[in-house]
Structure formats: structure tokens, C-alpha cells
């Protein structure tokens, strides 16, 4: 059975209310590099250079179904609102299908909101560490078969160079929070193994010690994924036809 990985869909009404310049925050999909490889080794590269301040490319390795997109968010709160809309839609479906009563859904939503506040507070905590620099925030949308993917983020070397300590904090749709401080690899990347595309926040935190991955359980105690090596190399995936080398950022 296919397990769909989704993040929230941007509220159309909010988009209409925003000025024209704000449309730069619309989702970006890789067109030049596309999707290459097969099965669980498929990789999609998303060129975010120019759309994000500190991140040049996001790569997703997994059985990419219809493609993955990145939506830059102007703030941590905007990312939370995006994921919250998806969670609300899921709860509404469960109530409509009588899988949950409205009262049960309200309890779950209250717990979700508690975790969302923990997420925002956690990001704020790292931002207040000595010499910390806010990098980027974004939300990922997409569908990967079997619920497993590695997200590799390549940083602009002027913002986070190899050896720098970067903290990532992720809010998943189920309200679980995934976070760690890791060193940027020699290829300028960090890699995160996960089974949900959600809201991401990245901070350059020179005063914070490298840590193993930490979790705050979401609604119903659900969690996702584990961190993998910062130097994970995606170039092992077969190159596409016609001898065109895939853009991996390595």
C-alpha cells in the first residue's frame, strides 16, 4: 500500500489577500533537473537559489511519485499556519467519516496547538543563542511512495559553510517536532531522513554543541524519521539518459 506524504496546501484566500510582490513565496518545483533514478533511489533536485536567502538547493531522495515542491515562508508562524491548515483538513475528514467525534477532534487540535507553540518557542530559543543567524524557513509539499525520504539541503557558503553548526527544527503535520544541531558537510549539505514533509526552520548556531536528533512527540505520540550523515552522497543514483549528469549540489 502506498503511504502518501503531504504537507499543507497554501490557503488560496490568503494568497489573494497578499500584494503582488508576495507571490515570490509561491512553491518552487524543479523543472531543469527534474526527477532521476528509479524506485527508492529516485532523486528530485529543487533549485532554490534566488528564492531562499541561504539555501541553494533542496534534494529529495525516495520513490518520488508526482514531484515535490518547496514553498518559502516569510516567518516561522507562516510555516505553522501552513501545516495547521493541512491538519485541520485531516481532522474535518475524520469527523465527516465518523472516525472521530467533534469533541475528540477538538481535543486533538488543542494538543496540536500546544506542540505548535513548543515549535515556535524552540526556534526562538536557538535564535537567541550567541551569534546565531537565522537562515531560512520553508514548507515542503509532495508525495513519496512508502513514506520514506532523505531531504538534503545545500547551503550558500556565505551563509553556512562546511564545518558550521546548523540547527534545524521541523514541525510535522501530526504535531511532532524533529530537531538537532549538526555540522555542514564537506559538500555544503546536511541530510535529514524523514517520512513527512512539513515546516522547516534552519539557524546557524555557532555556540550550540552538535547533538543527536531530539523529538517531541505529536498528537497520539506519533513521530517520524531519523537523521543521517551530513555528508550523505546522492550521486550514487544512476544519471538520466543522454549522458546528462544530475544536479546534486555535491
Amino acid at each position: 500500500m502506498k503511504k502518501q506524504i503531504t504537507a499543507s496546501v497554501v490557503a488560496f484566500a490568503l494568497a489573494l489577500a497578499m500584494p503582488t510582490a508576495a507571490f515570490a513565496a509561491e512553491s518552487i518545483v524543479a523543472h531543469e533537473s527534474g526527477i532521476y533514478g528509479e524506485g527508492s533511489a529516485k532523486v528530485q533536485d529543487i533549485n532554490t537559489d534566488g528564492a531562499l536567502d541561504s539555501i541553494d538547493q533542496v534534494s529529495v531522495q525516495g520513490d518520488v511519485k508526482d514531484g515535490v515542491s518547496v514553498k518559502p515562508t516569510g516567518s516561522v508562524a507562516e510555516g505553522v499556519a501552513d501545516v495547521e491548515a493541512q491538519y485541520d483538513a485531516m481532522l474535518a475528514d475524520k469527523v465527516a467519516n465518523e472516525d472521530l467525534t467533534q469533541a475528540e477532534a477538538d481535543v486533538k487540535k488543542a494538543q496540536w496547538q500546544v506542540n505548535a507553540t513548543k515549535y515556535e518557542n524552540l526556534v526562538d530559543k536557538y535564535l537567541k543563542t550567541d551569534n546565531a543567524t537565522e537562515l531560512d524557513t520553508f514548507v515542503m509539499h509532495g508525495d513519496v511512495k512508502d513514506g520514506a525520504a532523505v531531504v538534503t539541503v545545500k547551503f550558500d557558503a556565505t551563509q553556512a559553510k562546511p564545518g558550521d553548526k546548523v540547527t534545524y527544527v521541523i514541525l510535522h503535520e501530526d504535531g511532532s517536532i524533529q530537531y538537532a544541531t549538526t555540522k555542514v558537510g564537506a559538500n555544503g549539505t546536511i541530510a535529514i531522513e524523514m517520512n513527512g514533509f512539513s515546516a522547516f526552520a534552519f539557524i546557524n548556531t555557532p555556540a550550540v554543541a552538535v547533538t543527536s536528533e531530539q523529538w517531541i512527540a505529536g498528537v497520539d505520540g506519533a513521530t517520524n524519521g531519523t537523521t543521517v550523515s551530513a555528508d550523505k552522497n546522492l550521486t550514487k543514483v544512476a544519471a538520466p539518459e543522454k549522458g546528462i549528469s544530475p544536479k546534486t549540489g555535491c
Side-chain angles (χ1 to χ4, degrees):
M1 174 179 286
K2 292 184 179 181
K3 179 178 179 181
Q4 184 171 336
I5 299 179
T6 57
S8 60
V9 177
V10 185
F12 184 63
L14 286 176
L16 288 176
M18 298 170 71
T20 303
F23 280 91
E26 290 180 344
S27 296
I28 314 157
V29 182
H31 295 294
E32 293 181 7
S33 54
I35 300 171
Y36 53 90
E38 297 180 355
S40 62
K42 282 183 181 176
V43 174
Q44 179 181 349
D45 293 335
I46 303 171
N47 180 8
T48 58
D49 188 17
L52 295 174
D53 293 331
S54 64
I55 296 170
D56 290 341
Q57 181 170 287
V58 177
S59 296
V60 180
Q61 179 168 324
D63 197 346
V64 180
K65 182 182 177 184
D66 298 319
V68 174
S69 63
V70 169
K71 173 188 176 279
T73 51
S75 65
V76 171
E78 185 179 337
V80 170
D82 203 349
V83 178
E84 183 175 13
Q86 181 71 15
Y87 188 70
D88 286 346
M90 183 274 291
L91 286 180
D93 284 344
K94 286 185 175 292
V95 171
N97 294 330
E98 299 185 349
D99 295 324
L100 288 175
T101 66
Q102 186 59 57
E104 290 170 333
D106 291 344
V107 169
K108 290 181 181 295
K109 178 58 186 294
Q111 180 57 55
W112 193 96
Q113 289 175 318
V114 168
N115 274 33
T117 299
K118 288 180 180 179
Y119 170 73
E120 292 181 281
N121 290 342
L122 190 58
V123 174
D124 188 57
K125 168 189 169 182
Y126 283 111
L127 284 171
K128 289 179 178 176
T129 60
D130 290 343
N131 300 313
T133 304
E134 185 174 10
L135 296 176
D136 272 302
T137 61
F138 61 77
V139 175
M140 293 189 75
H141 305 252
D143 189 2
V144 173
K145 181 181 177 183
D146 297 329
V150 176
V151 175
T152 302
V153 176
K154 180 175 175 58
F155 293 98
D156 183 320
T158 65
Q159 302 293 319
K161 64 184 181 300
D164 281 0
K165 290 179 289 185
V166 168
T167 298
Y168 63 82
V169 189
I170 304 168
L171 176 66
H172 293 283
E173 183 186 321
D174 63 9
S176 59
I177 300 168
Q178 178 180 358
Y179 64 104
T181 300
T182 186
K183 285 188 177 181
V184 178
N187 54 9
T189 69
I190 63 171
I192 309 164
E193 186 174 331
M194 54 197 305
N195 63 13
F197 294 153
S198 309
F200 294 69
F202 297 91
I203 308 143
N204 194 328
T205 49
V208 178
V210 171
T211 64
S212 59
E213 189 161 84
Q214 306 294 315
W215 281 94
I216 297 174
V219 180
D220 299 325
T223 57
N224 307 288
T226 54
T227 299
V228 295
S229 167
D231 283 308
K232 184 172 181 66
N233 188 349
L234 302 183
T235 59
K236 295 178 182 178
V237 178
E241 296 180 1
K242 300 182 181 179
I244 301 173
S245 298
K247 290 170 57 180
T248 62
C250 299

